[in-house]
Amino acid sequence: MISRRNFIKLSGGAVAAGTLVGCAGGMGRSGGGGKVVVVGGGPGGATAAKYLRMFDPSIEVTLIEANAKYYTCFMSNEVLGGDRNLDSITFGYDGLRRHGVRVVHDTVTQIDAAARKIVTKSGATFSYDRAIVSPGIDFKWGAIEGHSAEAAEIIPHAWKAGAQTVTLHKQLLDMKNGGTVVIATPSGAFRCPPGPYERASLIANYLKKHKPKSKVLILDAGDKFAKQGLFIAGWKKHYGYGTSNSLIEWVPAAQGGKVEGVDAKGMAVQAAVEKIKADVINVIPPQKAGKLAFDAGLTEGDWCPINKKTFESKIHANIHVLGDASNAAGMPKSGYSANVQAKVCAAAVVDLLAGREPGFPSYMNTCYSVVGDDHGISVSIVYTFDEAKNEIIAVKGAGGVTPSDASAEALRREAHYAHGWFANITNDIFG
Amino acid sequence: MGSTKLLQNMVLAGGLALSATSMAATPSAAMLAGTCAACHGTNGSSVAVIPSLAAAPAEYFVETMKAFKSGARKATVMDRVAKGYSDEEIALMGDYFAQQKLIPMKQGFDKTKLNQGKRLHDKYCEKCHEEDGRKPDVGGILAGQSMMYLTFSMDDFLSGEREMEKDMKKKVNEMLKETDKSSIESLIHFYGSQQ
């Protein structure tokens, strides 16, 4: 009888002998080299660059990213109430350099798919065998009347972390006790579906401790939201939700919650039913793929259509798109999704460069949300691939959210695990 | 390679070629393991409270995943996750992580407690958790794990939420009879101090 371990060893040997090409994939083995240019140094792009080098050090990898620092959107909600500082969500690219990634800080101005060339603002040209584009999100400013990049300097979105996060944090610090904080959620597919509700939770947690006469008013573009039951249970437990003194009030679209216009100078939002004045306004605009994706002709509607096994664009061959900008429906737009998609994509690129059929993918997403002190919740889903339909589908009978009867100890641990996840994912991306 | 092995290899290769369709739907071990890294660290070496998987024996990994899957072992998240993988995929991941080198977690510890922990370890634990808990064993690897995670684990063992293996139960009870509850904390500092 052959033991499992021998079985794997033997089948590995068979692959090396060339009798079973394509079964085990090419990860971990040196191939024939090749040039890959990665555009965008967020969770998707940075992970892809690093894992390409880990999977196959014979590949030359260049990462082009405009900024020297990246601020993660995940955990930025903890910066808003002062639970953590901006430094703790700030990452540089030295880790990637240590993996042999050539990091170039420049802005891509053109991707020539036919010539397989990328041109930057400084005039440099980068040729590639395969490109990986991970430009993140951009905002649909026209969707809400009166809203613009300029208006967002006064009423920050804070949905790309960094300066916007700091602005919103400072506004909360300066707000009077008894003030109203409006959070307007976006319609359509958007980055981090539970994010606006975690934000409401953590702002309420700050208000509870420092400005208890204040409240958070969530004006929702929809009628339901991610982890809704768990959030509401948490709000009841910590913030008096449902009582007249609640620190959080949620207005769904069906009750006039959808924000249709903003008046940044007048500090007001126009919701479907009434105009609401507030002391701090956080309108998170509807979203689409990052500008570069549109410039490069990689989009169809708001997002980039892809082969979900390899993340290769369905529009331009040899260009892969991943992360929030891609239409990887099935999976939510999250840091975890981008991190996993990057590994699936990197493995496929290694195989394709070596002339092998890409291996079968595996995906997963776990999103933690911090609801309050010692109170974390999560959603975790394992995904597989339906080749015939080009669909990413959740594995049946698995995954789901924190059980509604989870003990206080389980919720306390989930809060710790949320922070543990943050340390590990950022190390996996940038370390 | 002996002739028997060669024969096995040939038979196996033939068998695999015949089942190419089902094989094509199984991700590689590295592909599967890559999905764990965001929580458990790159190649299974964690830098925070979520436990490291690197270098733990494949048997321990497989047993743990099966216990999560069946509900025999309680979890916050892993019970939901484990159900998403087939036994074959779990075996692949177990072998993959067993081959990884563990990078011990950097964390603060108390020197007095670690010294006391070392004495306790030698007396009650070393027999199974050899080499100061650095050697992969029936309980995975203790040295270099997050102290907070070890604390959660011991809380669960002592409250009965998680079942202790017979020999462990005997030794832990013996230790708690002869010392006090601070001995658990001292042991955890000892394992956490090994970096």
Side-chain angles (χ1 to χ4, degrees), chain A residues 336 343 378 399-400 413 424 428, chain B residues 34-35 39 42 46-47 80 156:
Chain A
Y336 201 126
K343 292 168 195 175
S378 61
R413 287 188 193 181
N424 275 318
D428 192 49
Chain B
T35 65
C39 290
T42 307
S46 174
V47 298
R80 292 174 258 156
D156 289 348

Side-chain angles (χ1 to χ4, degrees), chain A residues 102-118:
Chain A
R102 180 184 170 205
V103 181
V104 176
H105 293 301
D106 204 342
T107 302
V108 171
T109 50
Q110 195 204 343
I111 300 177
D112 184 338
R116 286 196 260 177
K117 275 188 170 59
I118 289 173

Side-chain angles (χ1 to χ4, degrees), chain B residues 27-45:
Chain B
S28 70
M31 174 74 79
L32 290 162
T35 65
C36 312
C39 290
H40 292 279
T42 307
N43 288 329
S45 281

Side-chain angles (χ1 to χ4, degrees), chain A residues 107-362:
Chain A
T107 302
V108 171
T109 50
Q110 195 204 343
I111 300 177
D112 184 338
R116 286 196 260 177
K117 275 188 170 59
I118 289 173
V119 182
T120 63
K121 206 171 172 181
S122 73
T125 300
F126 300 83
S127 64
Y128 62 81
D129 296 311
R130 289 193 172 263
I132 297 175
V133 179
S134 187
I137 55 157
D138 213 340
F139 299 115
K140 293 159 97 172
W141 293 116
I144 296 171
E145 207 188 318
H147 209 198
S148 62
E150 294 71 43
E153 296 297 317
I154 305 166
I155 51 167
H157 53 76
W159 218 243
K160 289 184 186 178
Q164 281 272 315
T165 313
V166 174
T167 303
L168 186 53
H169 170 58
K170 282 187 178 152
Q171 289 181 354
L172 290 166
L173 292 184
D174 292 344
M175 191 183 80
K176 65 173 192 259
N177 186 6
T180 297
V181 181
V182 159
I183 299 175
T185 73
S187 54
F190 63 94
R191 162 182 285 181
C192 191
Y197 311 93
E198 181 193 61
R199 173 169 290 181
S201 308
L202 293 177
I203 292 177
N205 197 23
Y206 165 76
L207 297 176
K208 184 181 175 180
K209 290 171 188 169
H210 302 281
K211 289 158 190 174
K213 289 179 192 161
S214 316
K215 74 170 176 187
V216 179
L217 180 62
I218 306 169
L219 298 175
D220 210 310
D223 289 322
K224 54 184 183 359
F225 58 89
K227 305 179 195 164
Q228 184 167 349
L230 293 168
F231 272 114
I232 286 179
W235 295 345
K236 283 181 178 164
K237 186 173 170 184
H238 300 290
Y239 312 120
Y241 186 77
T243 69
S244 55
N245 285 328
S246 180
L247 283 154
I248 298 178
E249 201 180 314
W250 175 62
V251 187
Q255 287 166 33
K258 189 165 192 269
V259 166
E260 290 166 348
V262 299
D263 174 5
K265 282 187 187 131
M267 284 304 283
V269 294
Q270 181 62 53
V273 177
E274 53 177 330
K275 190 170 179 175
I276 297 162
K277 284 195 67 104
D279 301 278
V280 173
I281 298 175
N282 169 224
V283 174
I284 306 164
Q287 294 153 33
K288 59 184 177 182
K291 183 174 178 295
L292 180 67
F294 285 89
D295 292 348
L298 290 163
T299 54
E300 187 182 273
D302 291 333
W303 312 104
C304 303
I306 45 154
N307 171 336
K308 290 168 183 169
K309 186 181 185 181
T310 60
F311 290 84
E312 185 165 6
S313 166
K314 289 199 141 189
I315 299 171
H316 290 306
N318 304 310
I319 300 179
H320 301 248
V321 187
L322 51 86
D324 291 350
S326 68
N327 180 0
M331 299 182 82
K333 297 186 185 300
S334 75
Y336 201 126
S337 291
N339 172 261
V340 162
Q341 290 164 8
K343 292 168 195 175
V344 172
C345 175
V349 166
V350 168
D351 282 333
L352 290 165
L353 286 175
R356 287 187 298 260
E357 174 69 18
F360 197 77
S362 178

